[in-house]
């Protein structure tokens, strides 16, 4: 009997070693191991590392920095834009510059902090001249976004502009028709709204800001911020 128990314990220890080698630090019921979030952080940072070194599409040749994304990896709310612009490429961070400042203001007005949401783009490297990403670039890059969504598991994704909205909703319909109401992607609520850089470019048109704010209020209601 004792021999059998020893064999079982050795087998369990062997399995735990194997899981640790895979980077899984937490096994339910194993109180000696650190909290489960550590393994998520580890997976997330190795994903970011992979993105920073990625050369899967020609945009790798042109970038200064890949921009994986930024924020809380347990966020209820994600913002997804189309791709990094000039400032983002230089700094390796998403949504910096004027459009980024505006997005930060919107997030604060929604009673969130920038650090408590997750901000990223459909593609992680800057297309030249800030053109829209091409379909083969999106195809090459989309796995990173899917993985981020899988790990974060947000309740709501706000898509900023046409590119991410069409990507998630698999449609050619424009943002003006799709914004302002929830759609669904794999059980996650999607709220399309205008891209902050579109608001910056059309500053004199106050109705655009008003529409974005109406959209964000619907998101706040779902996330208990109203
Ligand atoms: S855009 Fe995406 S797929 Fe292309 S090089 Fe950058 S990270 Fe890789």
């Amino acid at each position: 009997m004792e021999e059998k128990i020893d064999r079982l314990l050795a087998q369990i220890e062997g399995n735990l070693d194997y899981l640790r080698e895979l980077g899984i630090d937490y096994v339910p019921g194993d109180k000696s191991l650190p909290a489960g979030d550590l393994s998520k952080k580890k997976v997330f940072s190795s994903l970011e590392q992979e993105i920073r070194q990625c050369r899967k599409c020609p945009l790798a040749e042109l970038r200064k920095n890949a921009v994986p994304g930024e924020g809380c990896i347990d966020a209820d709310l994600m913002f997804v834009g189309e791709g990094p612009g000039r400032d983002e490429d230089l700094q390796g961070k998403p949504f910096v510059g004027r459009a980024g400042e505006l997005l930060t203001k919107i997030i604060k007005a929604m009673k969130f902090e920038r650090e408590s949401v997750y901000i990223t783009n459909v593609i992680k490297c800057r297309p030249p001249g800030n053109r829209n990403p091409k379909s083969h670039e999106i195809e090459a890059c989309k796995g990173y976004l899917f993985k981020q969504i899988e790990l974060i598991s947000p309740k709501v994704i706000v898509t900023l502009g046409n590119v991410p909205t069409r990507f998630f909703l698999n449609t050619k319909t424009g943002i003006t028709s799709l914004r302002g109401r929830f759609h669904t992607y794999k059980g996650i609520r999607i709220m399309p709204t205008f891209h902050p850089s579109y608001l910056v470019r059309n500053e004199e048109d106050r109705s655009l800001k008003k529409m974005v704010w109406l959209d964000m209020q619907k998101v706040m209601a779902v996330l208990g911020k109203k």
Side-chain angles (χ1 to χ4, degrees), residues 199-222:
L199 301 191
V200 168
R201 284 200 305 275
N202 296 281
E203 224 159 13
E204 68 294 340
D205 187 350
R206 297 182 65 81
S207 70
L208 293 175
K209 272 192 186 164
K210 204 171 166 187
M211 282 190 264
V212 169
W213 183 234
L214 286 173
D215 302 347
M216 294 308 98
Q217 283 181 306
K218 290 177 185 165
V219 173
M220 288 165 70
V222 165

Side-chain angles (χ1 to χ4, degrees), residues 23-144:
I24 300 168
D25 296 315
Y26 173 73
V27 177
D30 181 355
K31 303 274 190 276
S32 64
L33 293 174
D37 273 359
L38 271 188
S39 63
K40 181 167 163 181
K41 273 186 197 156
K42 221 166 167 178
V43 175
F44 216 90
S45 68
S46 70
L47 178 65
E48 286 180 346
Q49 198 57 26
E50 195 183 332
I51 294 170
R52 290 191 196 284
Q53 292 168 357
C54 176
R55 309 203 71 79
K56 283 199 291 184
C57 87
L59 294 178
E61 304 299 323
L62 307 165
R63 73 177 179 222
K64 293 250 180 316
N65 291 291
V67 185
E70 188 175 72
C72 174
I73 62 172
D74 295 313
D76 284 339
L77 177 58
M78 258 179 106
F79 289 86
V80 181
E82 56 187 56
R86 192 177 63 94
D87 296 325
E88 288 79 13
D89 177 57
L90 289 173
Q91 296 186 37
K93 292 176 171 213
F95 285 88
V96 289
R98 284 189 70 200
E101 278 167 25
L102 179 55
L103 180 62
T104 306
K105 277 187 193 162
I106 293 170
I107 291 169
K108 287 201 164 154
M110 293 172 77
K111 302 182 190 163
F112 284 93
E113 294 301 321
R114 194 174 151 117
E115 300 72 31
S116 66
V117 303
Y118 195 84
I119 305 170
T120 189
N121 287 296
V122 173
I123 59 159
K124 314 302 189 194
C125 300
R126 183 194 182 206
N130 289 355
R131 63 154 168 77
N132 280 347
K134 295 188 174 164
S135 56
H136 68 273
E137 294 159 353
I138 293 177
E139 198 54 36
C141 207
K142 67 182 184 185
Y144 296 130

